[in-house]
Amino acid sequence: MVEENDAASGELRNVALVDALQTKDVAAVAFALRHGATVAPLVVASGDEPVDDLWTYRDPDTGQTALLLFSDIAHKPASVPDAVTLLSPPVLRAYLEHEGFDVAEAS
């Protein structure tokens, strides 16, 4: 499902997203997601080999699924798999649309 894996490039952060989250600026967060790569964890198969799909969290009480995205690899909790990818805005959008999420258009 994931068509882009730039994690090997060494740049595992989106500085604009880091800044937007620190200032709690919702418009800046949206801009950063639309214009920069986002760190996302990958599913890890047996043998610690990542597979080509994003790791999601399912709430055991509600059944709701969450895709965890990070501005920087340094902010990834230890409980989330170590294998990550960088998602470009078009790849993130395609994933969300494929999974049935509503994606708002930029105005």
Side-chain angles (χ1 to χ4, degrees), residues 50-96:
V51 296
D52 198 24
D53 204 1
L54 297 178
W55 184 86
T56 56
Y57 170 79
R58 182 175 303 275
D59 185 306
D61 297 326
T62 66
Q64 290 184 319
T65 301
L67 171 63
L68 303 179
L69 301 174
F70 303 96
S71 57
D72 189 318
I73 189 67
H75 301 300
K76 183 190 73 59
S79 60
V80 174
D82 288 334
V84 296
T85 189
L86 288 177
L87 300 177
S88 68
V91 172
L92 176 58
R93 180 184 185 98
Y95 177 84
L96 294 172

